[in-house]
Amino acid sequence: MITENPFLGKKVLVVTAHPDDEAYFAGALRQVVESGGEVRLLCGTLGERGRSYLPYECTANELKLLRHAELCAAASAIGMSEVIIGGYPDGALSDYIESLISHVERLVLNYNPDIILGYGPDGYTGHADHVAAYAAAFSVAQAHNISYVAFALPPEPHRAELMQLLNAKRKLGVYVDNAQVLEASVAVAADAVFKLELLRYHASQLEGLNPYVVFGEVLGGHLMQYEYFHILS
């Protein structure tokens, strides 16, 4: 397994489905920026269905505005060059894959990235929007002969425990089962303090994001200190 960040100094296009998806691999992204590389983000939706952890009522449009602001603040903290919002409906990204492919392709032609970074076929959590974002981004990477790197689950003994806890968190019925799980081939050491600060930018979702609370001190601490990836192409 590679134990240093292979994305340093590269131009990286990140493709995610929701605001906060970037948070768990923010350590690696920040290292790219600090090494002189560039990071741009295409986020497919604004996560307007993500109300599970809100302590108050709000409309879908209000939540879109809030989560957009949170994402922009987090992206600024990472040092991203640009954030692009796809504007597709949260929870239905799989219905817009062809449009998302065209969107990613336009960015590739304009930006000419060295690497496209996103999810693998398992979507990390199994969320159908994550899987759709992978399908679109990987298709473009293959068509343009660009290296595609997927955010991956940690190796054992952590993976089984994490998968069990992730499955228990499923709430909205927008998850897929039996997706191909990628073996991690890259491990990047991350700054846990920075990552926790980054997670706090997504205040509307923090209760469900904070790994120390959700996964416990041992597993949560590991996820904050290490980020895993699989180089698909």
Short mmCIF file of all heavy atoms in Angstrom, two decimals, residues 85-155:
data_model
loop_
_atom_site.label_atom_id
_atom_site.label_comp_id
_atom_site.label_asym_id
_atom_site.label_seq_id
_atom_site.Cartn_x
_atom_site.Cartn_y
_atom_site.Cartn_z
N ILE A 85 -21.61 23.80 -8.48
CA ILE A 85 -22.79 23.07 -8.02
C ILE A 85 -23.56 22.55 -9.22
O ILE A 85 -23.92 23.31 -10.13
CB ILE A 85 -23.70 23.98 -7.17
CG1 ILE A 85 -22.93 24.58 -6.00
CG2 ILE A 85 -24.92 23.19 -6.68
CD1 ILE A 85 -22.34 23.57 -5.04
N GLY A 86 -23.82 21.24 -9.22
CA GLY A 86 -24.57 20.65 -10.33
C GLY A 86 -26.03 21.05 -10.34
O GLY A 86 -26.63 21.21 -11.40
N GLY A 87 -26.62 21.18 -9.15
CA GLY A 87 -28.01 21.59 -9.05
C GLY A 87 -29.01 20.48 -9.28
O GLY A 87 -30.20 20.74 -9.51
N TYR A 88 -28.57 19.22 -9.22
CA TYR A 88 -29.48 18.11 -9.42
C TYR A 88 -30.24 17.80 -8.12
O TYR A 88 -29.79 18.16 -7.03
CB TYR A 88 -28.70 16.88 -9.88
CG TYR A 88 -27.92 17.12 -11.15
CD1 TYR A 88 -26.54 17.34 -11.10
CD2 TYR A 88 -28.56 17.18 -12.38
CE1 TYR A 88 -25.82 17.59 -12.26
CE2 TYR A 88 -27.85 17.43 -13.54
CZ TYR A 88 -26.47 17.64 -13.47
OH TYR A 88 -25.77 17.90 -14.62
N PRO A 89 -31.40 17.13 -8.20
CA PRO A 89 -32.18 16.85 -7.00
C PRO A 89 -31.47 15.87 -6.06
O PRO A 89 -30.98 14.82 -6.49
CB PRO A 89 -33.48 16.24 -7.55
CG PRO A 89 -33.53 16.63 -8.98
CD PRO A 89 -32.11 16.71 -9.43
N ASP A 90 -31.44 16.21 -4.80
CA ASP A 90 -30.86 15.34 -3.78
C ASP A 90 -31.66 14.04 -3.71
O ASP A 90 -32.89 14.05 -3.66
CB ASP A 90 -30.91 16.07 -2.43
CG ASP A 90 -30.19 15.32 -1.33
OD1 ASP A 90 -29.44 14.37 -1.62
OD2 ASP A 90 -30.36 15.71 -0.15
N GLY A 91 -30.95 12.92 -3.71
CA GLY A 91 -31.60 11.62 -3.62
C GLY A 91 -32.00 11.03 -4.95
O GLY A 91 -32.51 9.91 -5.00
N ALA A 92 -31.80 11.77 -6.05
CA ALA A 92 -32.23 11.29 -7.37
C ALA A 92 -31.14 11.48 -8.41
O ALA A 92 -31.42 11.56 -9.61
CB ALA A 92 -33.50 12.02 -7.81
N LEU A 93 -29.88 11.51 -7.98
CA LEU A 93 -28.79 11.79 -8.92
C LEU A 93 -28.69 10.72 -10.00
O LEU A 93 -28.27 11.01 -11.13
CB LEU A 93 -27.47 11.90 -8.16
CG LEU A 93 -26.31 12.62 -8.83
CD1 LEU A 93 -26.71 14.01 -9.29
CD2 LEU A 93 -25.11 12.70 -7.89
N SER A 94 -29.09 9.50 -9.68
CA SER A 94 -29.01 8.42 -10.66
C SER A 94 -29.93 8.65 -11.85
O SER A 94 -29.74 8.05 -12.92
CB SER A 94 -29.36 7.08 -10.00
OG SER A 94 -30.66 7.10 -9.45
N ASP A 95 -30.93 9.53 -11.70
CA ASP A 95 -31.82 9.85 -12.82
C ASP A 95 -31.21 10.88 -13.78
O ASP A 95 -31.81 11.17 -14.82
CB ASP A 95 -33.15 10.41 -12.29
CG ASP A 95 -33.94 9.39 -11.50
OD1 ASP A 95 -33.77 8.18 -11.75
OD2 ASP A 95 -34.73 9.81 -10.62
N TYR A 96 -30.04 11.41 -13.41
CA TYR A 96 -29.44 12.49 -14.19
C TYR A 96 -27.99 12.17 -14.58
O TYR A 96 -27.20 13.09 -14.80
CB TYR A 96 -29.48 13.79 -13.38
CG TYR A 96 -30.88 14.27 -13.08
CD1 TYR A 96 -31.55 13.80 -11.95
CD2 TYR A 96 -31.55 15.14 -13.92
CE1 TYR A 96 -32.83 14.21 -11.67
CE2 TYR A 96 -32.84 15.56 -13.66
CZ TYR A 96 -33.49 15.09 -12.52
OH TYR A 96 -34.77 15.49 -12.25
N ILE A 97 -27.67 10.89 -14.69
CA ILE A 97 -26.28 10.51 -14.94
C ILE A 97 -25.77 11.07 -16.26
O ILE A 97 -24.64 11.58 -16.34
CB ILE A 97 -26.11 8.98 -14.87
CG1 ILE A 97 -26.21 8.51 -13.42
CG2 ILE A 97 -24.76 8.56 -15.46
CD1 ILE A 97 -26.03 7.02 -13.23
N GLU A 98 -26.57 11.01 -17.32
CA GLU A 98 -26.11 11.51 -18.61
C GLU A 98 -25.82 13.00 -18.55
O GLU A 98 -24.82 13.47 -19.12
CB GLU A 98 -27.14 11.20 -19.69
CG GLU A 98 -27.29 9.72 -20.01
CD GLU A 98 -25.97 9.06 -20.41
OE1 GLU A 98 -25.22 9.69 -21.19
OE2 GLU A 98 -25.68 7.95 -19.94
N SER A 99 -26.67 13.75 -17.88
CA SER A 99 -26.43 15.17 -17.71
C SER A 99 -25.19 15.43 -16.87
O SER A 99 -24.39 16.33 -17.18
CB SER A 99 -27.65 15.84 -17.06
OG SER A 99 -27.43 17.22 -16.86
N LEU A 100 -25.02 14.63 -15.83
CA LEU A 100 -23.84 14.77 -14.97
C LEU A 100 -22.56 14.43 -15.73
O LEU A 100 -21.53 15.10 -15.57
CB LEU A 100 -23.99 13.89 -13.73
CG LEU A 100 -22.88 14.01 -12.67
CD1 LEU A 100 -22.73 15.45 -12.19
CD2 LEU A 100 -23.17 13.07 -11.49
N ILE A 101 -22.62 13.41 -16.58
CA ILE A 101 -21.47 13.07 -17.42
C ILE A 101 -21.08 14.28 -18.28
O ILE A 101 -19.90 14.64 -18.38
CB ILE A 101 -21.77 11.85 -18.30
CG1 ILE A 101 -21.78 10.58 -17.45
CG2 ILE A 101 -20.75 11.72 -19.44
CD1 ILE A 101 -22.23 9.34 -18.21
N SER A 102 -22.07 14.92 -18.91
CA SER A 102 -21.79 16.09 -19.73
C SER A 102 -21.18 17.22 -18.91
O SER A 102 -20.27 17.92 -19.37
CB SER A 102 -23.07 16.58 -20.41
OG SER A 102 -23.58 15.60 -21.29
N HIS A 103 -21.67 17.37 -17.68
CA HIS A 103 -21.16 18.42 -16.80
C HIS A 103 -19.69 18.16 -16.44
O HIS A 103 -18.85 19.06 -16.52
CB HIS A 103 -22.01 18.47 -15.53
CG HIS A 103 -22.00 19.79 -14.85
ND1 HIS A 103 -23.03 20.24 -14.06
CD2 HIS A 103 -21.07 20.78 -14.83
CE1 HIS A 103 -22.74 21.44 -13.59
NE2 HIS A 103 -21.55 21.78 -14.04
N VAL A 104 -19.39 16.92 -16.07
CA VAL A 104 -18.01 16.56 -15.73
C VAL A 104 -17.11 16.73 -16.95
O VAL A 104 -15.98 17.24 -16.84
CB VAL A 104 -17.93 15.11 -15.20
CG1 VAL A 104 -16.47 14.71 -14.95
CG2 VAL A 104 -18.75 14.96 -13.91
N GLU A 105 -17.62 16.34 -18.11
CA GLU A 105 -16.81 16.43 -19.32
C GLU A 105 -16.46 17.87 -19.67
O GLU A 105 -15.33 18.18 -20.07
CB GLU A 105 -17.55 15.77 -20.48
CG GLU A 105 -16.67 15.54 -21.70
CD GLU A 105 -17.19 14.42 -22.56
OE1 GLU A 105 -18.42 14.32 -22.73
OE2 GLU A 105 -16.36 13.63 -23.05
N ARG A 106 -17.41 18.78 -19.50
CA ARG A 106 -17.13 20.20 -19.75
C ARG A 106 -16.02 20.70 -18.83
O ARG A 106 -15.14 21.46 -19.26
CB ARG A 106 -18.39 21.03 -19.56
CG ARG A 106 -19.43 20.86 -20.65
CD ARG A 106 -20.48 21.95 -20.63
NE ARG A 106 -21.20 22.03 -19.36
CZ ARG A 106 -22.29 21.32 -19.08
NH1 ARG A 106 -22.79 20.47 -19.99
NH2 ARG A 106 -22.90 21.45 -17.93
N LEU A 107 -16.08 20.30 -17.57
CA LEU A 107 -15.05 20.73 -16.63
C LEU A 107 -13.69 20.15 -16.99
O LEU A 107 -12.67 20.82 -16.86
CB LEU A 107 -15.45 20.32 -15.21
CG LEU A 107 -16.66 21.04 -14.63
CD1 LEU A 107 -17.01 20.46 -13.26
CD2 LEU A 107 -16.41 22.53 -14.52
N VAL A 108 -13.68 18.90 -17.43
CA VAL A 108 -12.42 18.27 -17.84
C VAL A 108 -11.81 19.03 -19.02
O VAL A 108 -10.61 19.30 -19.06
CB VAL A 108 -12.65 16.79 -18.18
CG1 VAL A 108 -11.50 16.22 -18.99
CG2 VAL A 108 -12.86 15.98 -16.91
N LEU A 109 -12.64 19.40 -19.98
CA LEU A 109 -12.14 20.11 -21.16
C LEU A 109 -11.63 21.50 -20.79
O LEU A 109 -10.67 22.00 -21.37
CB LEU A 109 -13.23 20.20 -22.22
CG LEU A 109 -13.66 18.86 -22.84
CD1 LEU A 109 -14.85 19.05 -23.77
CD2 LEU A 109 -12.50 18.21 -23.58
N ASN A 110 -12.29 22.14 -19.82
CA ASN A 110 -11.89 23.49 -19.41
C ASN A 110 -10.70 23.49 -18.46
O ASN A 110 -9.88 24.41 -18.48
CB ASN A 110 -13.06 24.21 -18.74
CG ASN A 110 -14.15 24.57 -19.72
OD1 ASN A 110 -13.90 24.74 -20.91
ND2 ASN A 110 -15.38 24.68 -19.24
N TYR A 111 -10.61 22.45 -17.64
CA TYR A 111 -9.67 22.44 -16.52
C TYR A 111 -8.46 21.54 -16.76
O TYR A 111 -7.38 21.77 -16.23
CB TYR A 111 -10.45 21.99 -15.27
CG TYR A 111 -9.66 21.80 -14.01
CD1 TYR A 111 -8.64 22.68 -13.63
CD2 TYR A 111 -9.96 20.74 -13.17
CE1 TYR A 111 -7.93 22.49 -12.46
CE2 TYR A 111 -9.25 20.55 -11.99
CZ TYR A 111 -8.24 21.42 -11.65
OH TYR A 111 -7.54 21.23 -10.49
N ASN A 112 -8.64 20.49 -17.57
CA ASN A 112 -7.56 19.56 -17.89
C ASN A 112 -6.89 18.98 -16.63
O ASN A 112 -5.67 19.13 -16.43
CB ASN A 112 -6.50 20.23 -18.77
CG ASN A 112 -5.52 19.25 -19.37
OD1 ASN A 112 -5.85 18.09 -19.60
ND2 ASN A 112 -4.30 19.70 -19.60
N PRO A 113 -7.64 18.32 -15.78
CA PRO A 113 -7.08 17.82 -14.52
C PRO A 113 -6.15 16.63 -14.75
O PRO A 113 -6.30 15.89 -15.73
CB PRO A 113 -8.31 17.39 -13.73
CG PRO A 113 -9.31 17.02 -14.78
CD PRO A 113 -9.08 17.99 -15.91
N ASP A 114 -5.21 16.44 -13.83
CA ASP A 114 -4.36 15.25 -13.84
C ASP A 114 -5.10 14.05 -13.26
O ASP A 114 -4.85 12.90 -13.64
CB ASP A 114 -3.09 15.49 -13.00
CG ASP A 114 -2.29 16.67 -13.49
OD1 ASP A 114 -1.95 16.69 -14.69
OD2 ASP A 114 -2.02 17.58 -12.68
N ILE A 115 -6.00 14.32 -12.31
CA ILE A 115 -6.68 13.27 -11.57
C ILE A 115 -8.14 13.68 -11.36
O ILE A 115 -8.43 14.85 -11.09
CB ILE A 115 -6.02 13.06 -10.18
CG1 ILE A 115 -4.60 12.53 -10.32
CG2 ILE A 115 -6.85 12.12 -9.30
CD1 ILE A 115 -3.80 12.59 -9.03
N ILE A 116 -9.04 12.72 -11.50
CA ILE A 116 -10.41 12.88 -11.03
C ILE A 116 -10.54 12.04 -9.76
O ILE A 116 -10.21 10.85 -9.75
CB ILE A 116 -11.45 12.45 -12.07
CG1 ILE A 116 -11.35 13.34 -13.31
CG2 ILE A 116 -12.86 12.53 -11.49
CD1 ILE A 116 -12.32 12.96 -14.42
N LEU A 117 -11.00 12.67 -8.70
CA LEU A 117 -11.12 12.01 -7.41
C LEU A 117 -12.58 11.99 -6.99
O LEU A 117 -13.26 13.02 -7.02
CB LEU A 117 -10.29 12.76 -6.36
CG LEU A 117 -10.38 12.29 -4.91
CD1 LEU A 117 -9.94 10.85 -4.76
CD2 LEU A 117 -9.52 13.20 -4.02
N GLY A 118 -13.07 10.81 -6.64
CA GLY A 118 -14.47 10.70 -6.22
C GLY A 118 -14.68 9.42 -5.46
O GLY A 118 -13.77 8.89 -4.81
N TYR A 119 -15.88 8.89 -5.55
CA TYR A 119 -16.19 7.63 -4.89
C TYR A 119 -15.96 6.45 -5.82
O TYR A 119 -15.82 6.62 -7.03
CB TYR A 119 -17.64 7.65 -4.41
CG TYR A 119 -17.84 8.53 -3.19
CD1 TYR A 119 -18.53 9.73 -3.29
CD2 TYR A 119 -17.30 8.18 -1.97
CE1 TYR A 119 -18.69 10.55 -2.18
CE2 TYR A 119 -17.45 9.00 -0.87
CZ TYR A 119 -18.15 10.18 -0.98
OH TYR A 119 -18.30 10.98 0.12
N GLY A 120 -15.92 5.27 -5.23
CA GLY A 120 -15.85 4.04 -6.00
C GLY A 120 -17.24 3.49 -6.23
O GLY A 120 -18.25 4.11 -5.88
N PRO A 121 -17.34 2.30 -6.82
CA PRO A 121 -18.65 1.72 -7.12
C PRO A 121 -19.50 1.43 -5.88
O PRO A 121 -20.72 1.29 -5.99
CB PRO A 121 -18.30 0.42 -7.86
CG PRO A 121 -16.87 0.17 -7.58
CD PRO A 121 -16.23 1.49 -7.34
N ASP A 122 -18.87 1.37 -4.70
CA ASP A 122 -19.63 1.18 -3.47
C ASP A 122 -20.16 2.49 -2.90
O ASP A 122 -20.96 2.48 -1.95
CB ASP A 122 -18.77 0.47 -2.42
CG ASP A 122 -17.51 1.24 -2.05
OD1 ASP A 122 -17.17 2.20 -2.75
OD2 ASP A 122 -16.86 0.85 -1.07
N GLY A 123 -19.71 3.61 -3.45
CA GLY A 123 -20.16 4.89 -2.93
C GLY A 123 -19.71 5.17 -1.51
O GLY A 123 -20.23 6.08 -0.86
N TYR A 124 -18.77 4.39 -1.01
CA TYR A 124 -18.26 4.46 0.37
C TYR A 124 -19.34 4.10 1.39
O TYR A 124 -19.17 3.19 2.19
CB TYR A 124 -17.68 5.85 0.68
CG TYR A 124 -16.84 5.88 1.95
CD1 TYR A 124 -15.50 5.52 1.91
CD2 TYR A 124 -17.39 6.24 3.16
CE1 TYR A 124 -14.72 5.53 3.06
CE2 TYR A 124 -16.62 6.26 4.32
CZ TYR A 124 -15.30 5.90 4.27
OH TYR A 124 -14.53 5.91 5.42
N THR A 125 -20.46 4.81 1.39
CA THR A 125 -21.54 4.53 2.34
C THR A 125 -22.65 3.70 1.71
O THR A 125 -23.58 3.30 2.41
CB THR A 125 -22.18 5.84 2.83
OG1 THR A 125 -22.78 6.51 1.71
CG2 THR A 125 -21.15 6.75 3.47
N GLY A 126 -22.58 3.48 0.39
CA GLY A 126 -23.68 2.81 -0.30
C GLY A 126 -24.78 3.75 -0.74
O GLY A 126 -25.79 3.30 -1.30
N HIS A 127 -24.60 5.05 -0.53
CA HIS A 127 -25.63 6.01 -0.94
C HIS A 127 -25.73 6.02 -2.46
O HIS A 127 -24.73 6.12 -3.17
CB HIS A 127 -25.28 7.40 -0.42
CG HIS A 127 -26.43 8.37 -0.42
ND1 HIS A 127 -27.06 8.77 -1.58
CD2 HIS A 127 -27.07 8.99 0.59
CE1 HIS A 127 -28.03 9.60 -1.29
NE2 HIS A 127 -28.06 9.76 0.04
N ALA A 128 -26.97 5.92 -2.97
CA ALA A 128 -27.17 5.84 -4.41
C ALA A 128 -26.66 7.08 -5.14
O ALA A 128 -26.19 6.99 -6.28
CB ALA A 128 -28.66 5.64 -4.71
N ASP A 129 -26.73 8.25 -4.51
CA ASP A 129 -26.19 9.45 -5.14
C ASP A 129 -24.67 9.36 -5.28
O ASP A 129 -24.11 9.82 -6.28
CB ASP A 129 -26.54 10.69 -4.31
CG ASP A 129 -27.97 11.16 -4.51
OD1 ASP A 129 -28.67 10.62 -5.40
OD2 ASP A 129 -28.39 12.08 -3.79
N HIS A 130 -24.00 8.79 -4.29
CA HIS A 130 -22.55 8.61 -4.37
C HIS A 130 -22.20 7.67 -5.52
O HIS A 130 -21.24 7.90 -6.26
CB HIS A 130 -22.00 8.02 -3.07
CG HIS A 130 -22.11 8.91 -1.89
ND1 HIS A 130 -21.54 8.60 -0.67
CD2 HIS A 130 -22.72 10.11 -1.71
CE1 HIS A 130 -21.79 9.56 0.19
NE2 HIS A 130 -22.51 10.48 -0.42
N VAL A 131 -22.96 6.60 -5.64
CA VAL A 131 -22.71 5.62 -6.71
C VAL A 131 -22.92 6.26 -8.07
O VAL A 131 -22.16 6.03 -9.02
CB VAL A 131 -23.62 4.39 -6.52
CG1 VAL A 131 -23.44 3.41 -7.68
CG2 VAL A 131 -23.31 3.69 -5.19
N ALA A 132 -23.94 7.11 -8.19
CA ALA A 132 -24.21 7.80 -9.46
C ALA A 132 -23.09 8.78 -9.79
O ALA A 132 -22.66 8.89 -10.95
CB ALA A 132 -25.54 8.54 -9.38
N ALA A 133 -22.60 9.49 -8.78
CA ALA A 133 -21.48 10.42 -9.00
C ALA A 133 -20.25 9.66 -9.48
O ALA A 133 -19.53 10.12 -10.38
CB ALA A 133 -21.18 11.19 -7.71
N TYR A 134 -20.01 8.49 -8.89
CA TYR A 134 -18.89 7.64 -9.35
C TYR A 134 -19.09 7.24 -10.81
O TYR A 134 -18.16 7.35 -11.63
CB TYR A 134 -18.78 6.39 -8.48
CG TYR A 134 -18.20 5.21 -9.23
CD1 TYR A 134 -16.85 5.13 -9.50
CD2 TYR A 134 -19.04 4.20 -9.71
CE1 TYR A 134 -16.32 4.07 -10.22
CE2 TYR A 134 -18.53 3.13 -10.43
CZ TYR A 134 -17.17 3.07 -10.68
OH TYR A 134 -16.65 2.03 -11.40
N ALA A 135 -20.27 6.77 -11.15
CA ALA A 135 -20.53 6.26 -12.50
C ALA A 135 -20.25 7.34 -13.54
O ALA A 135 -19.64 7.08 -14.59
CB ALA A 135 -21.96 5.76 -12.61
N ALA A 136 -20.69 8.56 -13.26
CA ALA A 136 -20.48 9.65 -14.21
C ALA A 136 -19.02 10.05 -14.30
O ALA A 136 -18.45 10.17 -15.39
CB ALA A 136 -21.34 10.85 -13.81
N ALA A 137 -18.38 10.24 -13.14
CA ALA A 137 -17.00 10.71 -13.12
C ALA A 137 -16.04 9.68 -13.70
O ALA A 137 -15.11 10.02 -14.45
CB ALA A 137 -16.60 11.07 -11.69
N PHE A 138 -16.25 8.41 -13.36
CA PHE A 138 -15.36 7.37 -13.86
C PHE A 138 -15.51 7.20 -15.36
O PHE A 138 -14.53 6.97 -16.08
CB PHE A 138 -15.64 6.05 -13.13
CG PHE A 138 -14.70 4.94 -13.52
CD1 PHE A 138 -13.34 5.06 -13.30
CD2 PHE A 138 -15.18 3.77 -14.10
CE1 PHE A 138 -12.46 4.04 -13.66
CE2 PHE A 138 -14.31 2.74 -14.45
CZ PHE A 138 -12.95 2.88 -14.23
N SER A 139 -16.74 7.35 -15.86
CA SER A 139 -16.98 7.27 -17.30
C SER A 139 -16.18 8.34 -18.05
O SER A 139 -15.54 8.05 -19.08
CB SER A 139 -18.47 7.43 -17.59
OG SER A 139 -18.72 7.54 -18.97
N VAL A 140 -16.18 9.56 -17.52
CA VAL A 140 -15.44 10.64 -18.17
C VAL A 140 -13.94 10.40 -18.07
O VAL A 140 -13.19 10.63 -19.03
CB VAL A 140 -15.82 11.99 -17.53
CG1 VAL A 140 -14.95 13.11 -18.11
CG2 VAL A 140 -17.29 12.30 -17.77
N ALA A 141 -13.48 9.94 -16.90
CA ALA A 141 -12.05 9.65 -16.72
C ALA A 141 -11.57 8.63 -17.75
O ALA A 141 -10.50 8.79 -18.35
CB ALA A 141 -11.79 9.15 -15.31
N GLN A 142 -12.36 7.57 -17.95
CA GLN A 142 -11.99 6.55 -18.93
C GLN A 142 -11.98 7.13 -20.35
O GLN A 142 -11.06 6.86 -21.13
CB GLN A 142 -12.96 5.38 -18.85
CG GLN A 142 -12.76 4.47 -17.64
CD GLN A 142 -13.57 3.21 -17.75
OE1 GLN A 142 -14.78 3.27 -17.97
NE2 GLN A 142 -12.92 2.07 -17.62
N ALA A 143 -12.99 7.93 -20.67
CA ALA A 143 -13.11 8.47 -22.02
C ALA A 143 -11.96 9.40 -22.37
O ALA A 143 -11.57 9.51 -23.53
CB ALA A 143 -14.45 9.19 -22.18
N HIS A 144 -11.41 10.07 -21.35
CA HIS A 144 -10.35 11.06 -21.59
C HIS A 144 -8.99 10.61 -21.08
O HIS A 144 -8.06 11.40 -21.03
CB HIS A 144 -10.74 12.40 -20.95
CG HIS A 144 -11.90 13.07 -21.62
ND1 HIS A 144 -11.73 13.98 -22.64
CD2 HIS A 144 -13.24 12.93 -21.45
CE1 HIS A 144 -12.92 14.38 -23.06
NE2 HIS A 144 -13.85 13.77 -22.35
N ASN A 145 -8.91 9.31 -20.71
CA ASN A 145 -7.63 8.74 -20.27
C ASN A 145 -7.02 9.52 -19.11
O ASN A 145 -5.82 9.85 -19.12
CB ASN A 145 -6.64 8.67 -21.44
CG ASN A 145 -5.48 7.73 -21.16
OD1 ASN A 145 -5.61 6.76 -20.41
ND2 ASN A 145 -4.34 8.02 -21.74
N ILE A 146 -7.86 9.83 -18.12
CA ILE A 146 -7.43 10.56 -16.93
C ILE A 146 -7.41 9.58 -15.75
O ILE A 146 -8.31 8.74 -15.60
CB ILE A 146 -8.38 11.72 -16.62
CG1 ILE A 146 -8.38 12.72 -17.78
CG2 ILE A 146 -8.01 12.42 -15.32
CD1 ILE A 146 -9.46 13.77 -17.68
N SER A 147 -6.42 9.69 -14.91
CA SER A 147 -6.34 8.84 -13.73
C SER A 147 -7.54 9.08 -12.83
O SER A 147 -7.90 10.23 -12.54
CB SER A 147 -5.05 9.14 -12.96
OG SER A 147 -4.98 8.36 -11.77
N TYR A 148 -8.19 8.00 -12.41
CA TYR A 148 -9.34 8.11 -11.50
C TYR A 148 -8.98 7.46 -10.17
O TYR A 148 -8.53 6.31 -10.12
CB TYR A 148 -10.58 7.42 -12.07
CG TYR A 148 -11.81 7.65 -11.21
CD1 TYR A 148 -12.63 8.75 -11.42
CD2 TYR A 148 -12.13 6.79 -10.16
CE1 TYR A 148 -13.74 9.00 -10.63
CE2 TYR A 148 -13.23 7.03 -9.35
CZ TYR A 148 -14.04 8.12 -9.59
OH TYR A 148 -15.13 8.37 -8.79
N VAL A 149 -9.19 8.21 -9.10
CA VAL A 149 -8.88 7.72 -7.75
C VAL A 149 -10.15 7.77 -6.92
O VAL A 149 -10.86 8.78 -6.89
CB VAL A 149 -7.78 8.58 -7.08
CG1 VAL A 149 -7.48 8.07 -5.68
CG2 VAL A 149 -6.51 8.58 -7.93
N ALA A 150 -10.44 6.67 -6.24
CA ALA A 150 -11.66 6.56 -5.45
C ALA A 150 -11.35 6.60 -3.97
O ALA A 150 -10.40 5.96 -3.49
CB ALA A 150 -12.39 5.25 -5.79
N PHE A 151 -12.16 7.35 -3.23
CA PHE A 151 -12.10 7.33 -1.77
C PHE A 151 -12.58 5.96 -1.32
O PHE A 151 -13.64 5.49 -1.73
CB PHE A 151 -12.99 8.43 -1.20
CG PHE A 151 -12.93 8.58 0.29
CD1 PHE A 151 -11.71 8.65 0.95
CD2 PHE A 151 -14.10 8.66 1.03
CE1 PHE A 151 -11.67 8.79 2.33
CE2 PHE A 151 -14.06 8.80 2.40
CZ PHE A 151 -12.84 8.87 3.06
N ALA A 152 -11.79 5.29 -0.49
CA ALA A 152 -12.05 3.89 -0.16
C ALA A 152 -12.21 3.68 1.34
O ALA A 152 -11.70 4.47 2.16
CB ALA A 152 -10.91 3.01 -0.67
N LEU A 153 -12.91 2.62 1.68
CA LEU A 153 -13.02 2.20 3.08
C LEU A 153 -11.66 1.78 3.60
O LEU A 153 -10.80 1.33 2.84
CB LEU A 153 -14.00 1.04 3.19
CG LEU A 153 -15.47 1.37 2.90
CD1 LEU A 153 -16.24 0.10 2.59
CD2 LEU A 153 -16.10 2.10 4.08
N PRO A 154 -11.43 1.90 4.90
CA PRO A 154 -10.14 1.48 5.47
C PRO A 154 -10.00 -0.03 5.40
O PRO A 154 -10.99 -0.76 5.24
CB PRO A 154 -10.22 1.96 6.91
CG PRO A 154 -11.68 2.00 7.22
CD PRO A 154 -12.35 2.41 5.94
N PRO A 155 -8.78 -0.52 5.51
CA PRO A 155 -8.58 -1.98 5.54
C PRO A 155 -9.04 -2.55 6.86
O PRO A 155 -9.36 -1.83 7.81
CB PRO A 155 -7.06 -2.11 5.37
CG PRO A 155 -6.51 -0.83 5.91
CD PRO A 155 -7.52 0.23 5.59
#
